[in-house]
Amino acid sequence: MGLLRELRPPHGIRVSVGRSDGGTVKTHRIAVIAGDGIGPEVIETAIPVLDRAAAKHGFALEWQRFPYGADHYLKTGETLPDEAFRKLRNEADAIFVGAFGDPRVPGNEHARDILLGLRIRLDLYINFRPVKLLHPDLTPLRWDSATIDFVIFRENTEGVYLGRGRIDGGKYIAEEVNTVAGVSRIIRAAFEWAKAQGRTRVTMSDKSNAIPAHRIWQQKFKDIGAEFPGIIAEHRFIDTLALELIREPERFQVIVTNNLFGDILSDLGAALIGGLGFAASANLHPGRAGLFEPVHGSAPALAGTNVANPVAAILAGALMFEQLGQRDAARALEQAVRAVLAAGVRTADTGGTATTQEVAAAVARAV
Ligand code: NAD
Ligand code: IPM
Ligand code: MN
């Protein structure tokens, strides 16, 4: 798990509740939007695991559930009402999210409003996506690649995700927004994190050989990289990076890229470490509450069958713990997941026979 110390908000602790011995226990207020498909099952099985890890480490979690997702949208026409948005912004220490996407909403407008809406409106400009191999036999690569351990810094508030453009006269036009401020702050975040973690290489990826607007990524990477003399700043075009990540994943430490490329690379990264069932992400803005979620989607075909891998959701909880300042609990969770994987308790996506709940229960016991 990446350490998020320097990305942690100054607060993170909102209330204290009484303990029987007269002391107080720190309580973090967590808003939950479980969403669609396997979202609710992975989130609801992860929550008791997180509660147990919290209890073991002397803090508590107060969960507040929000009903937004495809069902709610189809019933009410509401995606994310303003009042709920204000609550999420003002009252939560963190937001814990499942996944959005439902065949009954082919335009995916609820996911755009809820998930992309929260990322953009809360200005959570860092989408922090660690790619870390937790057991050597999970990688599909032939050779021993036990050292796969890099982080993708995905820009999270610009690019094609702003949905700008137009459809008219047979033309389908999507605009990609790259601002000096937006590009600079994600590149800076990647270097600062690398420096704080003692990492020695940051790789920036763009497509500036075909997209003139990507020149700004080249310029800012050069300028900001020069402020970090101890760190090798290297560039790869996105196509080449996709190839190299499969050929030699162990050489990468920190990757910084735009919103769309970061989305695609994070599924590629997930494949290197056992699949989407193991990939977690944190949406961050230093000094503010963050949003934590698995990288995977709602996997409609698996919904309700108790076979979804809950590890990505549990590890999203570990990222949340780190950002809340609960580093020991975050580490303990990751260790527990490693132990459970080593013991062979696995869901069907990695050849196991355990159910969603059995894997989560095993992690809870191992914490
Ligand atoms: P997906 O991530 O839902 O599924 C891709 C593949 O991975 C499928 O084979 C699925 O069965 C498998 N998979 C995913 N999570 C798994 C888990 N925890 N355990 C075991 N197997 C798992 O991506 P998709 O099929 O492209 O999209 C399905 C829906 O989810 C779409 O509506 C899409 O828009 C949405 N989506 C949402 C998010 C999100 O909310 N963050 C992310 C990606 C996709
Ligand atoms: C992700 C997802 C989302 C994205 C979709 C659901 C809009 O794929 O979080 O990786 O593209 O950001
Ligand atoms: Mn994605």
Side-chain angles (χ1 to χ4, degrees):
M1 203 67 43
L3 301 177
L4 303 183
R5 232 173 331 160
E6 62 291 341
L7 302 176
R8 190 201 304 164
H11 57 84
I13 298 160
R14 288 286 172 79
V15 290
S16 294
V17 296
R19 240 175 24 189
S20 53
D21 62 5
T24 56
V25 61
K26 290 174 193 166
T27 300
H28 302 283
R29 295 206 284 188
I30 315 296
V32 180
I33 317 176
D36 309 328
I38 60 169
E41 55 204 80
V42 296
I43 291 298
E44 293 300 338
T45 47
I47 284 175
V49 181
L50 302 183
D51 277 333
R52 182 170 164 97
K56 285 253 167 180
H57 289 86
F59 63 98
L61 302 161
E62 187 183 290
W63 304 96
Q64 187 182 7
R65 289 171 173 78
F66 290 80
Y68 306 111
D71 277 344
H72 185 85
Y73 173 57
L74 290 168
K75 246 182 265 158
T76 65
E78 261 179 359
T79 54
L80 180 68
D82 281 341
E83 199 195 324
F85 173 75
R86 278 194 296 274
K87 266 199 182 154
L88 291 163
R89 185 188 55 198
N90 300 334
E91 294 174 19
D93 295 322
I95 306 173
F96 190 49
V97 160
F100 302 93
D102 186 301
R104 296 167 302 167
V105 188
N108 212 25
E109 58 273 18
H110 70 304
R112 265 203 309 280
D113 281 5
I114 302 168
L115 184 64
L116 304 183
L118 284 168
R119 288 176 185 166
I120 291 170
R121 292 169 75 191
L122 295 172
D123 201 30
L124 302 172
Y125 65 91
I126 301 165
N127 197 325
F128 180 90
R129 297 190 152 185
V131 177
K132 192 191 239 184
L133 186 61
L134 297 176
H135 191 278
D137 74 15
L138 288 173
T139 184
L141 300 178
R142 270 202 311 278
W143 36 275
D144 174 16
S145 41
T147 54
I148 298 174
D149 182 9
F150 62 89
V151 174
I152 299 167
F153 278 74
R154 168 186 177 187
E155 202 292 322
N156 214 25
T157 54
E158 299 193 338
V160 287
Y161 278 77
L162 291 182
R164 295 198 188 155
R166 62 187 191 281
I167 296 174
D168 102 60
K171 290 187 178 145
Y172 292 72
I173 298 171
E175 291 177 359
E176 189 190 272
V177 178
N178 299 271
T179 69
V180 172
V183 171
S184 301
R185 66 181 180 171
I186 189 68
I187 290 175
R188 186 171 295 286
F191 276 105
E192 281 175 355
W193 186 84
K195 186 177 174 194
Q197 298 304 309
R199 306 252 180 153
T200 54
R201 186 198 304 273
V202 174
T203 308
M204 186 276 282
S205 192
D206 63 21
K207 191 66 189 171
S208 52
N209 52 350
I211 304 173
H214 285 193
R215 233 176 279 153
I216 187 61
W217 284 84
Q218 297 276 339
Q219 281 168 19
K220 287 298 148 195
F221 190 62
K222 194 160 165 260
D223 293 351
I224 295 165
E227 297 172 29
F228 296 83
I231 296 174
I232 299 163
E234 66 176 17
H235 170 261
R236 292 289 187 276
F237 295 118
I238 188 67
D239 46 354
T240 302
L241 181 58
L243 175 140
E244 287 191 14
L245 275 175
I246 289 169
R247 200 159 61 186
E248 207 183 353
E250 75 280 7
R251 80 179 289 286
F252 294 95
Q253 301 183 20
V254 178
I255 292 170
V256 59
T257 191
N258 71 33
N259 208 337
L260 181 63
F261 295 168
D263 176 47
I264 297 166
L265 280 190
S266 51
D267 275 34
L268 190 161
L272 296 174
I273 57 162
L276 284 163
F278 298 99
S281 74
N283 301 263
L284 305 166
H285 182 132
R288 300 189 188 174
L291 184 156
F292 302 83
E293 51 169 341
V295 170
H296 66 69
S298 56
L302 305 184
T305 59
N306 205 17
V307 301
N309 189 340
V311 169
I314 292 169
L315 293 175
L319 290 174
M320 178 167 81
F321 282 178
E322 259 193 70
Q323 211 233 4
L324 291 168
Q326 304 292 357
R327 279 181 56 202
D328 291 346
R331 285 220 193 97
L333 264 183
E334 185 183 309
Q335 283 313 317
V337 167
R338 283 178 191 270
V340 165
L341 291 171
V345 183
R346 300 178 180 193
T347 43
D349 51 322
T350 46
T353 55
T355 63
T356 307
Q357 280 168 7
E358 285 164 354
V359 169
V363 176
R365 278 194 303 274
V367 166

